[in-house]
Each structure stands twice: as C-alpha cells, then as structure tokens.
Amino acid sequence: MPVESGSSAAARQAKQKRKSHSLSIRRTNSTEQDRSGLQRDMLEGQDSKLPLSLRSNLLDLFSQIEREFENLYIENLELRREIETLNDRLAAEGQTFEGADLAKGALKTKASHSTSQLSQKLKTTYKASTSKIVSSFKATTSRAVCQLVREYVGHRDGIWDLSVTRTQPVVLGTASADHTAMLWSIETGKCLLKYTGHQGSGKVIDFQSLSSSASGDQTAHIWRYMVQLPTPQPVADMSQTPCEDDVDFSDKDEADGEVEGPNDCPSVRVATTTLRSHQGVVIAADWLVGGKQVVTASWDRAANLYDVETSELVHSLTGHDQELTHCCTHPTQRLVVTSSRDTTFRLWDFRDPSIHSVNVFQGHTEPVTSAVFTVGDNVVSGSDDRTVKVWDLKNMRSPIATIRTDSAVNRISVSVNQKIIALPHDNRQVRLFDMSGVRLARLPRSNRQGHRRMVCCSAWCEDNTSCNLFTCGFDRQAIGWNINIPALLQEK
C-alpha cells in the first residue's frame, strides 16, 4: 500500500483548513444577515427618541465591531492550534514551547541549534500577536504624582534646549531662538544670568565647570558664569495632580502674549572661547568626561571634538549622510553617540587613544532626533517614527525594549536615580516610561498648566528636592516638575 509523503499530507491539510475557514465565513455572513434583520424587526417594536435611521446605523456599526472581534477570536484559535502542532514537533525533538529541559540523551549540536531557533521564533510570534490584545484591555492604575512646581518665563521666542548644571551651585540653563541663553534659579524661577554673545538662534546649552552653548551662527561658545542664588521662597502648592495616561483636558491653542524679558538680569556678551570649524548650524554640544574636551554636532553632517583650552579641532567625526540632530557623551567613559536625519545613530569610541572605532546602528525608519547614554550600559534613542528604543551596549544587534507612541519624539532624557525616560512630543505631551518600555505616566496638560506648544526637550535633576524634571518648548517657557513615581509602580 503506498504511503503518503509528508509534503502532500501537509498540503492537503492546509487545503482542508482553507475550505473549512471559507465555509465558516459564509456561515458567519448568513448568520449576521439573519441577526441584523432580527435586530431591525426588534427596533420597530421598541420605544426610543432616536430616529429609526440613526438607530439602524448604530446597529450596523456595532455589528461591524462584533465581526472584527469574532474574526480576531477565530484567528486566535487558529494560532493556538498551530502552536500546539509545533509544540508536538518540538516535543518529539526533545524540547517544548515552554522551555522544558531537553530529554536525556543529548541531541546533536545541529539539531539542538535548529530547535532552539524554532522555539525562539515561536515565542516571539506568540508574544507579538497576543500583546496587542492584552495591552488594549490592560487597566491603567497609575498613581504617580506629577506636580507643576514652577514656570521659568522670560525668553522672547521658543526654547530649543535646557540643561542642569553638574556642579554646585545647581542652576537651570535654557537656549532660545531669541539668540540668548539664560541661567535660572531653580527654587525661585528668577533669571540669574543672560548670555547674548550668539548671532543666531540658540540651539543647546550644557554645563561642566564652564558653560557651552551652540547656535545657528555656526559656532559654539564657551563662557564662564558666576551666579549667586537668591533666598528660596515658599513654594505654593499649585496642584497635587495624579499623572494622566490618556486624558487631555484641552486641545485648544492659547494665544501667547508678549513676554517681557527680565530687565534686572545681568548679562554676558563675550565668550571665553569660540569654536568655529563647522560649516552649518551647530545643533548640539556636550562635554566629554573629564571636562577638557567638547563635542559639537552640526547640520554640516559632522561632529567635532575640540580641546577647550586651545580651541583646536581634535577630531572631525564624519560619516552621516544627512544633517546631525544631536550628540551625547557617556557620563563615565570616553564614548560619544551622534544621531542624524539619515535614520541612524553612531557610537564613537575614544577609550583607546590610538584607535577610534565607530559603529552604525539602523534601528529607526525616520530621522533619529536624539540618542542618550544611561549610567549603565544602555543607549536610548528617539525618532520621528514615533518610537523610542532601548539598546544594550554589549549587544546592539536589536533593541531590548521598544516604546511606540502617537507623536514624534524630541530630545529625550533618562533619570539616573529612578531610571525613567522622559519623552517630549510634538503634540505637546510629555510621557514617562521605565527602561523596559512600560508606561508610567503622562504629565498633566490643560488650560491652567503644562505646555501649549511643541515640547522640544526634557532634562532630569537628581540634586533638587522641589523640581526633578524640567521641560521646555515653543510656548517660550520652561517648566519645573516634581515627579513622584512609587516604587511598586516602577516594578510592574
């Protein structure tokens, strides 16, 4: 008697499955028609103030929703059957889907490798298919408290960037499109110093023992600052607002009135050092560990490494195909990450003075707006493709976590102590996630508080008790927040 081959049996089984699936669809459609007719008959016998046509449209819409869920349910059942079939195959080869130990009597290396690949692929597919359904029904029980503590108002145009000093005294710095950079008292909201040395829009401000600022005039400036902090005033309790996850109180834009700059704020007009090697707008700057060198990123598709004392160009980091959008240095190692509009970010290694290696990472589909280091061995990248990805420096082949949002992401920041990622968005929202990609909170935004325009940047402050997160945007203001994320919420 002839024996049927495995391939022909599989083909016949797939054909029968398609036939049964088409039959079930036809039965479902006929059932839906009978059901819709019955529902319309029931409508005529019910009393309602709604017009019959409107009620009929509502029923049609609910029927469509029911069909979608029914098709999803059928697809889920078929996936489970396929998983059981593949589980049987894996069990026959000595491994199960749940990851049980291999059967006694070790398999050959080649067979074990292929089996583990199939198991990993199956796990990934199953998790991806079920996570969408589970996340849509997941209850949001966030009890994080996000309190707006203080607003820093004084710039005459949108604020591109802000940063917090790394040494005492701790002050807030902002860089604006009004060609100025300002230093603020965190506790009082008073302007302490204004830098007016740039001829173009201020793009970034960063601190070490000196302050560095970059501008649209194709230069980066190093300037000294000496400030005296005023006596802190009691902070009024503006609102103990629980962080909202999805509710937006108002989508209406508010008219921005003319903001008068602080008249009594002392100013600095001359830079200690001017760095001039770029041929385009300097969009970012950061201090390399040690405080003796500065890295700048420009629209001329290059990042430059300068010696601060001599103003000499040490290295020009080229290779990006389009304009750079950001640069960041590692807090403890001589590492630099640059991001670009070419959808990539690059990791530059200067730990060995004789060898300067570079690695290119293509993890996004749209311009990468920023990429930052964490205290550990991670890099977090944000993009205009509305995703944020967390990478492990030891294995950068694929991200360890992916965050999907509903708006383009601007310059992100990561809290050192709490390990929380702050995501500023084009749609005026600021959302908080942990390093595993779990959403923790959304900062409140209404007519009374929050940003009214695009949020450009966020920065954490670990050494201040009243404000530990700062954001800025094109509504010409910076905002200081007090973020309290319960430990239990971070562990979920």
Side-chain angles (χ1 to χ4, degrees):
M1 181 177 180
V3 180
E4 186 177 15
S5 65
S7 59
S8 61
R12 187 177 64 182
Q13 185 178 1
K15 184 176 181 181
Q16 290 176 352
K17 182 184 293 184
R18 288 195 298 271
K19 183 177 180 181
S20 62
H21 182 63
S22 62
L23 289 175
S24 65
I25 291 176
R26 284 197 290 271
R27 286 196 297 269
T28 302
N29 291 336
S30 62
T31 306
E32 289 169 356
Q33 293 174 359
D34 297 339
R35 187 186 308 160
S36 60
L38 179 61
Q39 289 171 343
R40 287 190 176 88
D41 294 338
M42 292 175 62
L43 275 177
E44 296 177 356
Q46 294 178 357
D47 294 333
S48 175
K49 295 182 180 181
L50 293 176
L52 182 61
S53 59
L54 178 59
R55 297 170 66 192
S56 178
N57 288 336
L58 287 174
L59 273 179
D60 290 339
L61 291 175
F62 283 121
S63 298
Q64 293 177 22
I65 294 174
E66 183 180 1
R67 285 199 300 272
E68 291 295 331
F69 275 98
E70 188 175 2
N71 293 334
L72 197 61
Y73 178 74
I74 293 173
E75 184 180 354
N76 192 21
L77 290 179
E78 292 180 354
L79 282 173
R80 288 182 179 276
R81 283 196 293 268
E82 292 181 5
I83 289 172
E84 291 175 359
T85 304
L86 291 174
N87 249 342
D88 294 339
R89 290 175 53 190
L90 292 174
E93 295 180 5
Q95 183 173 341
T96 63
F97 174 71
E98 297 298 331
D101 294 336
L102 292 175
K104 291 183 178 180
L107 300 174
K108 292 182 179 180
T109 305
K110 185 176 181 180
S112 176
H113 181 66
S114 62
T115 304
S116 63
Q117 282 185 334
L118 181 60
S119 175
Q120 185 63 37
K121 183 177 181 180
L122 185 58
K123 290 179 182 179
T124 305
T125 305
Y126 181 75
K127 288 180 181 179
S129 61
T130 57
S131 61
K132 296 180 181 179
I133 304 174
V134 174
S135 61
S136 62
F137 294 101
K138 189 182 295 182
T140 56
T141 57
S142 170
R143 297 197 178 182
V145 176
C146 305
Q147 180 186 5
L148 189 152
V149 179
R150 189 163 288 105
E151 296 177 344
Y152 304 86
V153 180
H155 281 292
R156 297 177 181 271
D157 208 337
I159 302 176
W160 282 106
D161 190 68
L162 82 171
S163 180
V164 180
T165 55
R166 305 176 187 180
T167 58
Q168 296 294 332
V170 179
V171 297
L172 174 68
T174 56
S176 169
D178 62 7
H179 300 190
T180 67
M182 290 185 180
L183 304 186
W184 307 83
S185 167
I186 294 177
E187 302 296 339
T188 65
K190 180 182 178 181
C191 177
L192 304 174
L193 186 68
K194 180 194 297 185
Y195 179 71
T196 59
H198 284 293
Q199 301 299 316
S201 174
K203 299 296 184 182
V204 68
I205 185 168
D206 194 43
F207 300 96
Q208 193 71 30
S209 57
L210 301 172
S211 177
S212 63
S213 58
S215 170
D217 59 10
Q218 304 183 5
T219 65
H221 291 183
I222 309 296
W223 42 281
R224 296 184 180 275
Y225 65 93
M226 295 183 62
V227 295
Q228 183 175 0
L229 298 181
T231 303
Q233 301 296 326
V235 178
D237 188 5
M238 299 183 65
S239 62
Q240 289 288 342
T241 309
C243 299
E244 297 290 342
D245 283 324
D246 294 309
V247 179
D248 188 7
F249 295 100
S250 174
D251 285 329
K252 296 180 180 179
D253 292 339
E254 296 183 9
D256 292 329
E258 288 296 325
V259 179
E260 293 295 333
N263 296 324
D264 58 344
C265 181
S267 62
V268 175
R269 294 180 174 83
V270 180
T272 305
T273 302
T274 301
L275 310 176
R276 300 180 179 276
S277 297
H278 283 293
Q279 303 301 315
V281 171
V282 183
I283 196 67
D286 201 1
W287 292 83
L288 205 62
V289 60
K292 295 182 179 180
Q293 293 178 323
V294 169
V295 180
T296 59
S298 171
W299 286 0
D300 62 7
R301 307 181 183 183
N304 289 341
L305 179 63
Y306 295 94
D307 184 278
V308 175
E309 293 183 359
T310 63
S311 305
E312 293 181 357
L313 177 63
V314 180
H315 293 288
S316 183
L317 313 180
T318 59
H320 281 290
D321 295 331
Q322 295 187 35
E323 296 90 341
L324 270 63
T325 58
H326 192 244
C327 67
C328 180
T329 61
H330 195 280
T332 60
Q333 303 183 58
R334 292 178 60 83
L335 298 173
V336 178
V337 61
T338 57
S339 54
S340 170
R341 291 183 55 84
D342 62 9
T343 73
T344 70
F345 65 95
R346 296 182 177 229
L347 179 64
W348 310 81
D349 191 346
F350 295 98
R351 288 175 294 185
D352 188 343
S354 60
I355 302 175
H356 304 138
S357 62
V358 58
N359 294 300
V360 183
F361 303 100
Q362 299 176 339
H364 293 280
T365 59
E366 295 290 338
V368 182
T369 54
S370 63
V372 299
F373 290 101
T374 67
V375 173
D377 294 328
N378 296 116
V379 173
V380 184
S381 60
S383 171
D384 280 343
D385 63 8
R386 303 182 180 184
T387 66
V388 172
K389 299 187 178 184
V390 182
W391 308 79
D392 188 349
L393 282 175
K394 298 177 181 178
N395 183 11
M396 298 282 286
R397 293 182 179 179
S398 60
I400 59 177
T402 299
I403 301 169
R404 303 187 185 279
T405 68
D406 59 352
S407 179
V409 182
N410 295 313
R411 292 188 177 179
I412 58 180
S413 62
V414 182
S415 169
V416 175
N417 296 336
Q418 302 184 74
K419 294 182 173 59
I420 301 174
I421 311 171
L423 278 57
H425 291 284
D426 277 359
N427 65 357
R428 300 166 288 175
Q429 306 287 357
V430 180
R431 291 185 173 91
L432 306 180
F433 289 80
D434 66 12
M435 294 294 292
S436 60
V438 176
R439 183 177 60 188
L440 301 177
R442 180 183 68 83
L443 300 192
R445 187 183 68 80
S446 67
N447 287 330
R448 293 175 288 108
Q449 59 180 337
H451 288 286
R452 300 185 298 273
R453 295 288 185 272
M454 176 181 71
V455 188
C456 299
C457 181
S458 63
W460 291 91
C461 178
E462 314 291 345
D463 300 325
N464 191 274
T465 56
S466 62
C467 300
N468 56 1
L469 176 64
F470 298 92
T471 58
C472 67
F474 260 58
D475 53 2
R476 309 178 188 179
Q477 67 174 342
I479 298 178
W481 305 85
N482 183 270
I483 308 299
N484 183 13
I485 305 292
L488 291 177
L489 187 60
Q490 296 185 53
E491 293 173 0
K492 287 185 177 180

